[in-house]
Amino acid sequence: VKIGGGSAQSGFMLDVNGQSVTRGNAYLQGRLQFFNNSLASISNTSDIIIDVNGSERARFTTAGNVGIGTTSPVGNLQVSKGTINTYPAPSVNADLFIIENKNTGGGGMTIFTDNGGTGNIYFGDEQSNQAAGITCDNSAGQSDLFFTTNGNNERMRITSAGNVGIGTTSPDRPLSVVGTIRSNGNTSSADFYS
């Protein structure tokens, strides 16, 4: 069937050239595909819900938030699992991406990288895409964690052996500091060595 100038040679049972409106439910058995570099657009004045096998799996709210595993996302992207626990609202300073495990036990996020590569979390601002950062360094057979500020300047490292270094990238003691330190507590010469 050709409607509105659709191509009879398109190979489709229904070819509509122009806008179409469905009032009520439309059921699709199969895939919804967009082709010929078309811009996919879904417009609605209510939340858009993706339902799989009778259960809601994702929601796009009218406020622009996206929820996976939650029907009321309060962050730009909120991923939720479980129903047992309840949590307070996230800080307004950290509500862009929310991960929550409402089941008993732990929850979190995993970053996988190539053996010999690095896993990175960067913090940026208007002037820099790397104002500070946290990196897991898997190079040279190690698994160190280090912290950077003011660009990619390393400030502190925790090695896979558990040593902490400040001002050094290769601490060989539980705490190695290169530079001058200040202590307000009582110390003795036995507490330090160089």
Side-chain angles (χ1 to χ4, degrees):
V1 177
K2 181 176 70 172
I3 301 175
S7 172
Q9 287 78 37
S10 66
F12 297 105
M13 298 293 292
L14 175 64
D15 190 335
V16 179
N17 184 6
Q19 296 180 342
S20 63
V21 176
T22 301
R23 304 191 190 285
N25 295 330
Y27 297 94
L28 176 69
Q29 186 174 7
R31 293 183 296 176
L32 177 63
Q33 294 178 290
F34 300 91
F35 60 98
N36 292 340
N37 298 319
S38 299
L39 175 64
S41 176
I42 300 175
S43 179
N44 198 4
T45 57
S46 300
D47 292 358
I48 296 173
I49 300 170
I50 297 177
D51 185 297
V52 179
N53 200 26
S55 298
E56 180 175 330
R57 303 301 184 188
R59 177 182 293 251
F60 299 79
T61 71
T62 55
N65 296 333
V66 178
I68 299 174
T70 176
T71 61
S72 53
V74 295
N76 289 58
L77 175 60
Q78 183 169 348
V79 180
S80 182
K81 179 181 179 181
T83 58
I84 297 173
N85 297 316
T86 58
Y87 302 113
S91 167
V92 296
N93 295 319
D95 64 351
L96 296 178
F97 179 34
I98 303 166
I99 301 173
E100 58 183 2
N101 179 17
K102 293 185 176 181
N103 291 329
T104 56
M109 178 177 66
T110 301
I111 300 175
F112 285 108
T113 61
D114 178 62
N115 186 19
T118 60
N120 304 288
I121 299 175
Y122 291 149
F123 305 90
D125 56 26
E126 295 91 340
Q127 286 76 41
S128 172
N129 62 3
Q130 192 178 344
I134 304 171
T135 296
C136 179
D137 183 3
N138 296 317
S139 62
Q142 59 192 10
S143 56
D144 293 1
L145 186 70
F146 66 85
F147 302 83
T148 59
T149 62
N150 193 26
N152 197 29
N153 296 298
E154 182 176 330
R155 305 302 187 185
M156 185 176 77
R157 177 177 291 253
I158 304 172
T159 70
S160 55
N163 295 330
V164 177
I166 300 175
T168 176
T169 61
S170 54
D172 58 356
R173 296 291 187 273
L175 177 61
S176 298
V177 179
V178 174
T180 303
I181 65 171
R182 172 176 292 177
S183 173
N184 290 327
N186 294 323
T187 61
S188 67
S189 59
D191 296 323
F192 300 96
Y193 77 94
S194 61

